[in-house]
Amino acid sequence: MNITEKDSYRTDSNRPRLLLSRIFLAAQYTFYPQLLWHVCVQSRKAAKQFYSGADWTEGSLAVLRSLENVGINFEITGMKNICSFDGPAVFIGNHMSALETFVLPCIVQPLKPVTFVVKRSLIDTPVFKHLMRSRDPITVGRTNPREDLKAVLDEGPKKLQAGTSIIIFPQSTRSVVFKPEEFNTLGVKLASRNGVPVVPFALKTDAWGVGKYLKDFGPVDKKKKVHFTFGEPMMIEGRGTKEHEKIIRFIQGKLEEWDQEERESLSV
């Protein structure tokens, strides 16, 4: 099933889990081998310099299914807002774990051709580099805000004019705790200067934890539901202060709602 066929997607509660996942108590022991297999397969395709948007969607969906295989439940809403307008957009949201980098493509790409703003080091990481380079992302250093602003404002218009939307995580690093003061206006400025809408999104992806020794390979918690939701597109007026604050309120409100839902489910 294509998860973008409707406005929302929820993991089937009757979906059977992978046999090995039922045997091993820790989900990461069966998830990460699946993840590495998918990454290697997709990376080999990308290394041959023929890696389409459909390939990217397929690989991303395979990761989502692998998470479901080990017992992770997804809830994705607001997908109608992604395709409620013509042309590209800037997608702006919070950044919590490695999960969204792998899964967002199978949500957005089928509806809008898209790429990411990513940390420059990712395009040189073994195995991942072929995948990252194939999507022609905008790269930033994450150490000098002025340089990052210049890179995004120089490269972003080229992507948008070609019809490619851009996903931006304005936080300097991934964090389970959302801090508005660390949420910069880079995406708002890009959208404003190019006359394209912003689509805010909020996510809760701490089911994929941060590793003690390898940051991207942490515990996988089946008790935590994965949430993605997309808000209504908005055009930026003036300096975009009002819209930036609206994006922050949207994310904060959703995180509070999901945290409350999680507390209630754990207390039952």
Side-chain angles (χ1 to χ4, degrees), residues 9-11 64 67-68 72-75 99 103 226 228:
Y9 169 83
R10 291 172 179 81
T11 300
L64 184 152
L67 284 161
E68 290 181 321
I72 298 295
N73 290 305
F74 281 78
E75 182 174 274
L99 189 153
V103 170
V226 171
F228 288 91

Side-chain angles (χ1 to χ4, degrees), residues 9-17 27 64-76 99 103 204-208 220-228 261-262 265:
Y9 169 83
R10 291 172 179 81
T11 300
D12 184 351
S13 58
N14 296 317
R15 177 184 174 85
R17 282 172 53 195
L64 184 152
R65 296 301 187 209
S66 293
L67 284 161
E68 290 181 321
N69 285 344
V70 300
I72 298 295
N73 290 305
F74 281 78
E75 182 174 274
I76 305 169
L99 189 153
V103 170
K204 186 177 187 300
T205 60
D206 55 339
W208 183 330
V220 177
D221 191 346
K222 299 190 291 277
K223 295 178 182 178
K224 294 179 179 290
K225 183 186 288 187
V226 171
H227 293 271
F228 288 91
E261 177 187 306
E262 187 173 283
S265 67

Side-chain angles (χ1 to χ4, degrees), residues 135-207:
R135 305 325 303 157
D136 194 23
I138 299 171
T139 60
V140 295
R142 295 289 192 191
T143 56
N144 187 318
R146 287 188 176 182
E147 287 184 2
D148 291 350
L149 175 63
K150 185 177 186 304
V152 172
L153 296 184
D154 284 350
E155 295 298 318
K158 301 174 187 176
K159 314 292 185 192
L160 295 169
Q161 289 167 14
T164 300
S165 295
I166 300 170
I167 296 173
I168 293 183
F169 301 115
Q171 296 161 247
S172 59
T173 187
R174 291 171 288 187
S175 177
V176 174
V177 178
F178 180 67
K179 299 177 180 179
E181 65 272 16
E182 296 179 0
F183 199 78
N184 66 52
T185 59
L186 192 55
V188 168
K189 289 175 180 175
L190 177 62
S192 175
R193 294 191 182 194
N194 292 276
V196 300
V198 159
V199 177
F201 66 91
L203 54 83
K204 186 177 187 300
T205 60
D206 55 339

Side-chain angles (χ1 to χ4, degrees), residues 95-103 174 205 208-209 215-217:
H95 198 7
M96 192 172 286
S97 77
L99 189 153
E100 51 263 30
T101 308
F102 284 99
V103 170
R174 291 171 288 187
T205 60
W208 183 330
K215 188 175 181 180
D216 290 335
F217 295 86

Side-chain angles (χ1 to χ4, degrees), residues 105-119:
C106 74
I107 304 172
V108 181
Q109 177 66 33
L111 303 172
K112 295 279 183 184
V114 71
T115 192
F116 283 97
V117 174
V118 302
K119 194 172 181 179

